[in-house]
Amino acid sequence: QVTLVESGGGLVQAGGSLRLSCAASGRTSSTYGMGWFRQAPGQEREFVAAISWNGGSTYYADSVKGRFTITRDNAKNTVYVQMSSLKPEDTAVYYCGAGNYGSLARGYAAYWGQGTQVTVSS
């Protein structure tokens, strides 16, 4: 069992930056791929970014490529996403997920966090 807790969400102006954190707990949490997903009101949850268990591979949705950076610190069992040049369309609840790295990019995670709200004002 892996428990994920997101933090760092909030309100930011367009063009600003924000860093989200996801703290994982569980005996084998450091062996999972980790990912970030988001869900805007009235829309389905979508993939944002994923990172392999050792941080050696990353993958991004086209909509955030070049603006978001996913990293992880296995010593702290934490994964981060640094979000820059934020746009109003980035407004959503952001979720952390853990699972197979290849599956994360297809939207499948074995474990999910509760989410953190990110609001980008224009």
Side-chain angles (χ1 to χ4, degrees), residues 36-69:
W36 287 96
F37 304 79
R38 65 187 182 187
Q39 187 169 21
Q43 297 186 23
E44 293 187 353
R45 184 158 53 191
E46 65 173 0
F47 167 78
V48 174
I51 188 166
S52 60
W53 74 273
N54 63 355
S57 297
T58 57
Y59 184 70
Y60 297 91
D62 288 343
S63 58
V64 306
K65 202 172 295 183
R67 300 189 298 122
F68 290 14
T69 302

mmCIF file of all heavy atoms in Angstrom, residues 36-69:
data_model
loop_
_atom_site.group_PDB
_atom_site.id
_atom_site.type_symbol
_atom_site.label_atom_id
_atom_site.label_comp_id
_atom_site.label_asym_id
_atom_site.label_seq_id
_atom_site.Cartn_x
_atom_site.Cartn_y
_atom_site.Cartn_z
ATOM 1 N N TRP A 36 2.085 13.124 -12.349
ATOM 2 C CA TRP A 36 1.138 14.176 -12.009
ATOM 3 C C TRP A 36 0.038 14.199 -13.069
ATOM 4 O O TRP A 36 0.308 14.033 -14.275
ATOM 5 C CB TRP A 36 1.837 15.537 -11.954
ATOM 6 C CG TRP A 36 2.694 15.710 -10.759
ATOM 7 C CD1 TRP A 36 4.038 15.497 -10.662
ATOM 8 C CD2 TRP A 36 2.258 16.116 -9.455
ATOM 9 N NE1 TRP A 36 4.470 15.751 -9.380
ATOM 10 C CE2 TRP A 36 3.405 16.137 -8.624
ATOM 11 C CE3 TRP A 36 1.031 16.485 -8.912
ATOM 12 C CZ2 TRP A 36 3.338 16.503 -7.282
ATOM 13 C CZ3 TRP A 36 0.973 16.849 -7.573
ATOM 14 C CH2 TRP A 36 2.112 16.858 -6.776
ATOM 15 N N PHE A 37 -1.158 14.424 -12.582
ATOM 16 C CA PHE A 37 -2.333 14.489 -13.424
ATOM 17 C C PHE A 37 -3.149 15.694 -12.975
ATOM 18 O O PHE A 37 -2.928 16.229 -11.893
ATOM 19 C CB PHE A 37 -3.169 13.217 -13.276
ATOM 20 C CG PHE A 37 -2.387 11.963 -13.568
ATOM 21 C CD1 PHE A 37 -1.520 11.436 -12.626
ATOM 22 C CD2 PHE A 37 -2.516 11.326 -14.782
ATOM 23 C CE1 PHE A 37 -0.783 10.292 -12.889
ATOM 24 C CE2 PHE A 37 -1.792 10.183 -15.061
ATOM 25 C CZ PHE A 37 -0.926 9.659 -14.111
ATOM 26 N N ARG A 38 -4.089 16.102 -13.809
ATOM 27 C CA ARG A 38 -4.935 17.227 -13.408
ATOM 28 C C ARG A 38 -6.340 17.059 -13.951
ATOM 29 O O ARG A 38 -6.544 16.393 -14.972
ATOM 30 C CB ARG A 38 -4.342 18.554 -13.863
ATOM 31 C CG ARG A 38 -4.281 18.735 -15.372
ATOM 32 C CD ARG A 38 -3.512 20.006 -15.725
ATOM 33 N NE ARG A 38 -3.471 20.260 -17.157
ATOM 34 C CZ ARG A 38 -2.756 21.218 -17.730
ATOM 35 N NH1 ARG A 38 -2.010 22.030 -16.974
ATOM 36 N NH2 ARG A 38 -2.778 21.369 -19.037
ATOM 37 N N GLN A 39 -7.275 17.676 -13.260
ATOM 38 C CA GLN A 39 -8.665 17.629 -13.685
ATOM 39 C C GLN A 39 -9.290 18.999 -13.502
ATOM 40 O O GLN A 39 -9.382 19.497 -12.379
ATOM 41 C CB GLN A 39 -9.444 16.580 -12.896
ATOM 42 C CG GLN A 39 -10.860 16.367 -13.395
ATOM 43 C CD GLN A 39 -11.508 15.149 -12.774
ATOM 44 O OE1 GLN A 39 -11.101 14.661 -11.722
ATOM 45 N NE2 GLN A 39 -12.537 14.631 -13.423
ATOM 46 N N ALA A 40 -9.691 19.579 -14.604
ATOM 47 C CA ALA A 40 -10.368 20.865 -14.583
ATOM 48 C C ALA A 40 -11.869 20.636 -14.439
ATOM 49 O O ALA A 40 -12.372 19.553 -14.769
ATOM 50 C CB ALA A 40 -10.064 21.636 -15.864
ATOM 51 N N PRO A 41 -12.602 21.624 -13.954
ATOM 52 C CA PRO A 41 -14.053 21.465 -13.787
ATOM 53 C C PRO A 41 -14.731 21.039 -15.080
ATOM 54 O O PRO A 41 -14.504 21.627 -16.141
ATOM 55 C CB PRO A 41 -14.512 22.861 -13.358
ATOM 56 C CG PRO A 41 -13.317 23.463 -12.718
ATOM 57 C CD PRO A 41 -12.138 22.939 -13.486
ATOM 58 N N GLY A 42 -15.541 19.992 -14.996
ATOM 59 C CA GLY A 42 -16.287 19.529 -16.153
ATOM 60 C C GLY A 42 -15.480 18.737 -17.158
ATOM 61 O O GLY A 42 -16.004 18.385 -18.220
ATOM 62 N N GLN A 43 -14.222 18.476 -16.835
ATOM 63 C CA GLN A 43 -13.370 17.734 -17.771
ATOM 64 C C GLN A 43 -12.845 16.460 -17.125
ATOM 65 O O GLN A 43 -12.881 16.306 -15.910
ATOM 66 C CB GLN A 43 -12.204 18.611 -18.219
ATOM 67 C CG GLN A 43 -12.623 19.863 -18.983
ATOM 68 C CD GLN A 43 -11.447 20.619 -19.541
ATOM 69 O OE1 GLN A 43 -10.368 20.070 -19.757
ATOM 70 N NE2 GLN A 43 -11.637 21.906 -19.813
ATOM 71 N N GLU A 44 -12.364 15.558 -17.955
ATOM 72 C CA GLU A 44 -11.784 14.324 -17.452
ATOM 73 C C GLU A 44 -10.361 14.587 -16.939
ATOM 74 O O GLU A 44 -9.704 15.542 -17.354
ATOM 75 C CB GLU A 44 -11.745 13.266 -18.553
ATOM 76 C CG GLU A 44 -13.119 12.798 -18.995
ATOM 77 C CD GLU A 44 -13.044 11.636 -19.962
ATOM 78 O OE1 GLU A 44 -11.919 11.288 -20.380
ATOM 79 O OE2 GLU A 44 -14.096 11.084 -20.297
ATOM 80 N N ARG A 45 -9.920 13.726 -16.056
ATOM 81 C CA ARG A 45 -8.550 13.837 -15.566
ATOM 82 C C ARG A 45 -7.583 13.555 -16.709
ATOM 83 O O ARG A 45 -7.796 12.624 -17.492
ATOM 84 C CB ARG A 45 -8.336 12.867 -14.416
ATOM 85 C CG ARG A 45 -6.973 12.976 -13.760
ATOM 86 C CD ARG A 45 -6.991 12.416 -12.347
ATOM 87 N NE ARG A 45 -7.513 11.081 -12.261
ATOM 88 C CZ ARG A 45 -7.808 10.487 -11.098
ATOM 89 N NH1 ARG A 45 -7.640 11.134 -9.964
ATOM 90 N NH2 ARG A 45 -8.269 9.257 -11.098
ATOM 91 N N GLU A 46 -6.535 14.344 -16.791
ATOM 92 C CA GLU A 46 -5.567 14.183 -17.870
ATOM 93 C C GLU A 46 -4.157 14.060 -17.323
ATOM 94 O O GLU A 46 -3.831 14.582 -16.261
ATOM 95 C CB GLU A 46 -5.637 15.367 -18.841
ATOM 96 C CG GLU A 46 -5.233 16.702 -18.260
ATOM 97 C CD GLU A 46 -5.169 17.805 -19.307
ATOM 98 O OE1 GLU A 46 -5.437 17.558 -20.497
ATOM 99 O OE2 GLU A 46 -4.815 18.936 -18.917
ATOM 100 N N PHE A 47 -3.335 13.386 -18.078
ATOM 101 C CA PHE A 47 -1.938 13.198 -17.725
ATOM 102 C C PHE A 47 -1.176 14.502 -17.884
ATOM 103 O O PHE A 47 -1.408 15.259 -18.822
ATOM 104 C CB PHE A 47 -1.348 12.128 -18.635
ATOM 105 C CG PHE A 47 0.154 12.036 -18.590
ATOM 106 C CD1 PHE A 47 0.791 11.407 -17.531
ATOM 107 C CD2 PHE A 47 0.924 12.597 -19.601
ATOM 108 C CE1 PHE A 47 2.165 11.332 -17.482
ATOM 109 C CE2 PHE A 47 2.292 12.520 -19.564
ATOM 110 C CZ PHE A 47 2.928 11.885 -18.503
ATOM 111 N N VAL A 48 -0.243 14.743 -16.963
ATOM 112 C CA VAL A 48 0.607 15.938 -17.027
ATOM 113 C C VAL A 48 2.075 15.558 -17.215
ATOM 114 O O VAL A 48 2.725 16.005 -18.152
ATOM 115 C CB VAL A 48 0.448 16.801 -15.763
ATOM 116 C CG1 VAL A 48 1.447 17.960 -15.764
ATOM 117 C CG2 VAL A 48 -0.973 17.324 -15.637
ATOM 118 N N ALA A 49 2.600 14.727 -16.320
ATOM 119 C CA ALA A 49 4.023 14.373 -16.376
ATOM 120 C C ALA A 49 4.256 13.101 -15.583
ATOM 121 O O ALA A 49 3.510 12.790 -14.657
ATOM 122 C CB ALA A 49 4.886 15.503 -15.816
ATOM 123 N N ALA A 50 5.318 12.364 -15.954
ATOM 124 C CA ALA A 50 5.679 11.151 -15.232
ATOM 125 C C ALA A 50 7.191 11.057 -15.133
ATOM 126 O O ALA A 50 7.924 11.603 -15.960
ATOM 127 C CB ALA A 50 5.119 9.914 -15.936
ATOM 128 N N ILE A 51 7.629 10.344 -14.106
ATOM 129 C CA ILE A 51 9.060 10.138 -13.890
ATOM 130 C C ILE A 51 9.265 8.698 -13.454
ATOM 131 O O ILE A 51 8.473 8.156 -12.680
ATOM 132 C CB ILE A 51 9.613 11.152 -12.855
ATOM 133 C CG1 ILE A 51 11.130 11.082 -12.773
ATOM 134 C CG2 ILE A 51 8.963 10.959 -11.487
ATOM 135 C CD1 ILE A 51 11.734 12.276 -12.032
ATOM 136 N N SER A 52 10.322 8.080 -13.957
ATOM 137 C CA SER A 52 10.601 6.698 -13.611
ATOM 138 C C SER A 52 11.087 6.584 -12.174
ATOM 139 O O SER A 52 11.417 7.581 -11.527
ATOM 140 C CB SER A 52 11.646 6.119 -14.566
ATOM 141 O OG SER A 52 12.856 6.864 -14.485
ATOM 142 N N TRP A 53 11.199 5.363 -11.680
ATOM 143 C CA TRP A 53 11.496 5.152 -10.262
ATOM 144 C C TRP A 53 12.829 5.761 -9.849
ATOM 145 O O TRP A 53 12.970 6.230 -8.717
ATOM 146 C CB TRP A 53 11.483 3.656 -9.934
ATOM 147 C CG TRP A 53 12.678 2.919 -10.455
ATOM 148 C CD1 TRP A 53 12.832 2.355 -11.690
ATOM 149 C CD2 TRP A 53 13.900 2.686 -9.761
ATOM 150 N NE1 TRP A 53 14.071 1.788 -11.808
ATOM 151 C CE2 TRP A 53 14.748 1.961 -10.638
ATOM 152 C CE3 TRP A 53 14.364 2.995 -8.489
ATOM 153 C CZ2 TRP A 53 16.022 1.565 -10.265
ATOM 154 C CZ3 TRP A 53 15.643 2.598 -8.114
ATOM 155 C CH2 TRP A 53 16.453 1.885 -9.011
ATOM 156 N N ASN A 54 13.801 5.793 -10.755
ATOM 157 C CA ASN A 54 15.117 6.329 -10.399
ATOM 158 C C ASN A 54 15.337 7.741 -10.950
ATOM 159 O O ASN A 54 16.443 8.283 -10.847
ATOM 160 C CB ASN A 54 16.233 5.414 -10.889
ATOM 161 C CG ASN A 54 16.256 5.293 -12.401
ATOM 162 O OD1 ASN A 54 15.378 5.815 -13.092
ATOM 163 N ND2 ASN A 54 17.258 4.610 -12.927
ATOM 164 N N GLY A 55 14.313 8.305 -11.562
ATOM 165 C CA GLY A 55 14.434 9.659 -12.102
ATOM 166 C C GLY A 55 15.132 9.721 -13.442
ATOM 167 O O GLY A 55 15.323 10.807 -13.992
ATOM 168 N N GLY A 56 15.491 8.576 -14.007
ATOM 169 C CA GLY A 56 16.257 8.564 -15.243
ATOM 170 C C GLY A 56 15.447 8.878 -16.484
ATOM 171 O O GLY A 56 16.001 9.268 -17.523
ATOM 172 N N SER A 57 14.148 8.711 -16.393
ATOM 173 C CA SER A 57 13.276 8.980 -17.544
ATOM 174 C C SER A 57 12.119 9.861 -17.114
ATOM 175 O O SER A 57 11.572 9.691 -16.026
ATOM 176 C CB SER A 57 12.729 7.670 -18.118
ATOM 177 O OG SER A 57 13.763 6.855 -18.612
ATOM 178 N N THR A 58 11.770 10.797 -17.981
ATOM 179 C CA THR A 58 10.617 11.656 -17.741
ATOM 180 C C THR A 58 9.802 11.757 -19.022
ATOM 181 O O THR A 58 10.323 11.538 -20.125
ATOM 182 C CB THR A 58 11.017 13.071 -17.288
ATOM 183 O OG1 THR A 58 11.888 13.652 -18.278
ATOM 184 C CG2 THR A 58 11.732 13.040 -15.945
ATOM 185 N N TYR A 59 8.540 12.087 -18.848
ATOM 186 C CA TYR A 59 7.638 12.196 -20.000
ATOM 187 C C TYR A 59 6.595 13.256 -19.673
ATOM 188 O O TYR A 59 6.114 13.327 -18.542
ATOM 189 C CB TYR A 59 6.967 10.854 -20.259
ATOM 190 C CG TYR A 59 6.095 10.821 -21.479
ATOM 191 C CD1 TYR A 59 6.641 10.881 -22.751
ATOM 192 C CD2 TYR A 59 4.707 10.719 -21.368
ATOM 193 C CE1 TYR A 59 5.831 10.854 -23.878
ATOM 194 C CE2 TYR A 59 3.905 10.683 -22.482
ATOM 195 C CZ TYR A 59 4.458 10.745 -23.735
ATOM 196 O OH TYR A 59 3.672 10.713 -24.846
ATOM 197 N N TYR A 60 6.282 14.089 -20.654
ATOM 198 C CA TYR A 60 5.378 15.207 -20.423
ATOM 199 C C TYR A 60 4.261 15.252 -21.466
ATOM 200 O O TYR A 60 4.445 14.867 -22.620
ATOM 201 C CB TYR A 60 6.139 16.533 -20.493
ATOM 202 C CG TYR A 60 7.196 16.696 -19.445
ATOM 203 C CD1 TYR A 60 8.502 16.291 -19.676
ATOM 204 C CD2 TYR A 60 6.892 17.261 -18.209
ATOM 205 C CE1 TYR A 60 9.489 16.440 -18.707
ATOM 206 C CE2 TYR A 60 7.862 17.417 -17.241
ATOM 207 C CZ TYR A 60 9.155 17.005 -17.497
ATOM 208 O OH TYR A 60 10.117 17.154 -16.521
ATOM 209 N N ALA A 61 3.134 15.757 -21.035
ATOM 210 C CA ALA A 61 2.079 16.079 -21.982
ATOM 211 C C ALA A 61 2.539 17.264 -22.828
ATOM 212 O O ALA A 61 3.265 18.143 -22.342
ATOM 213 C CB ALA A 61 0.787 16.425 -21.237
ATOM 214 N N ASP A 62 2.107 17.297 -24.071
ATOM 215 C CA ASP A 62 2.516 18.385 -24.964
ATOM 216 C C ASP A 62 2.118 19.758 -24.409
ATOM 217 O O ASP A 62 2.817 20.745 -24.603
ATOM 218 C CB ASP A 62 1.891 18.189 -26.343
ATOM 219 C CG ASP A 62 2.523 17.043 -27.109
ATOM 220 O OD1 ASP A 62 3.635 16.612 -26.732
ATOM 221 O OD2 ASP A 62 1.898 16.567 -28.075
ATOM 222 N N SER A 63 1.008 19.798 -23.706
ATOM 223 C CA SER A 63 0.484 21.073 -23.211
ATOM 224 C C SER A 63 1.364 21.715 -22.144
ATOM 225 O O SER A 63 1.253 22.916 -21.890
ATOM 226 C CB SER A 63 -0.927 20.881 -22.653
ATOM 227 O OG SER A 63 -0.926 19.931 -21.613
ATOM 228 N N VAL A 64 2.242 20.923 -21.516
ATOM 229 C CA VAL A 64 3.083 21.474 -20.444
ATOM 230 C C VAL A 64 4.564 21.374 -20.747
ATOM 231 O O VAL A 64 5.387 21.871 -19.982
ATOM 232 C CB VAL A 64 2.793 20.770 -19.090
ATOM 233 C CG1 VAL A 64 1.311 20.836 -18.754
ATOM 234 C CG2 VAL A 64 3.296 19.329 -19.096
ATOM 235 N N LYS A 65 4.899 20.749 -21.852
ATOM 236 C CA LYS A 65 6.312 20.546 -22.193
ATOM 237 C C LYS A 65 7.019 21.895 -22.314
ATOM 238 O O LYS A 65 6.521 22.822 -22.951
ATOM 239 C CB LYS A 65 6.397 19.774 -23.512
ATOM 240 C CG LYS A 65 7.701 19.053 -23.738
ATOM 241 C CD LYS A 65 7.613 18.170 -24.966
ATOM 242 C CE LYS A 65 6.613 17.050 -24.781
ATOM 243 N NZ LYS A 65 6.575 16.135 -25.948
ATOM 244 N N GLY A 66 8.165 21.992 -21.665
ATOM 245 C CA GLY A 66 8.921 23.231 -21.675
ATOM 246 C C GLY A 66 8.535 24.192 -20.569
ATOM 247 O O GLY A 66 9.245 25.169 -20.312
ATOM 248 N N ARG A 67 7.420 23.953 -19.915
ATOM 249 C CA ARG A 67 6.967 24.830 -18.820
ATOM 250 C C ARG A 67 6.993 24.115 -17.469
ATOM 251 O O ARG A 67 7.210 24.749 -16.436
ATOM 252 C CB ARG A 67 5.548 25.323 -19.091
ATOM 253 C CG ARG A 67 5.395 26.115 -20.366
ATOM 254 C CD ARG A 67 4.007 26.751 -20.458
ATOM 255 N NE ARG A 67 2.939 25.759 -20.478
ATOM 256 C CZ ARG A 67 1.948 25.714 -19.592
ATOM 257 N NH1 ARG A 67 1.896 26.589 -18.608
ATOM 258 N NH2 ARG A 67 0.997 24.789 -19.691
ATOM 259 N N PHE A 68 6.760 22.813 -17.461
ATOM 260 C CA PHE A 68 6.723 22.031 -16.232
ATOM 261 C C PHE A 68 7.938 21.110 -16.182
ATOM 262 O O PHE A 68 8.367 20.585 -17.209
ATOM 263 C CB PHE A 68 5.459 21.173 -16.156
ATOM 264 C CG PHE A 68 4.171 21.937 -15.946
ATOM 265 C CD1 PHE A 68 4.094 23.317 -16.105
ATOM 266 C CD2 PHE A 68 3.014 21.251 -15.583
ATOM 267 C CE1 PHE A 68 2.912 24.015 -15.916
ATOM 268 C CE2 PHE A 68 1.828 21.924 -15.383
ATOM 269 C CZ PHE A 68 1.772 23.301 -15.550
ATOM 270 N N THR A 69 8.450 20.887 -14.980
ATOM 271 C CA THR A 69 9.558 19.955 -14.772
ATOM 272 C C THR A 69 9.242 19.042 -13.595
ATOM 273 O O THR A 69 8.973 19.529 -12.493
ATOM 274 C CB THR A 69 10.863 20.710 -14.501
ATOM 275 O OG1 THR A 69 11.158 21.586 -15.590
ATOM 276 C CG2 THR A 69 12.021 19.720 -14.344
#
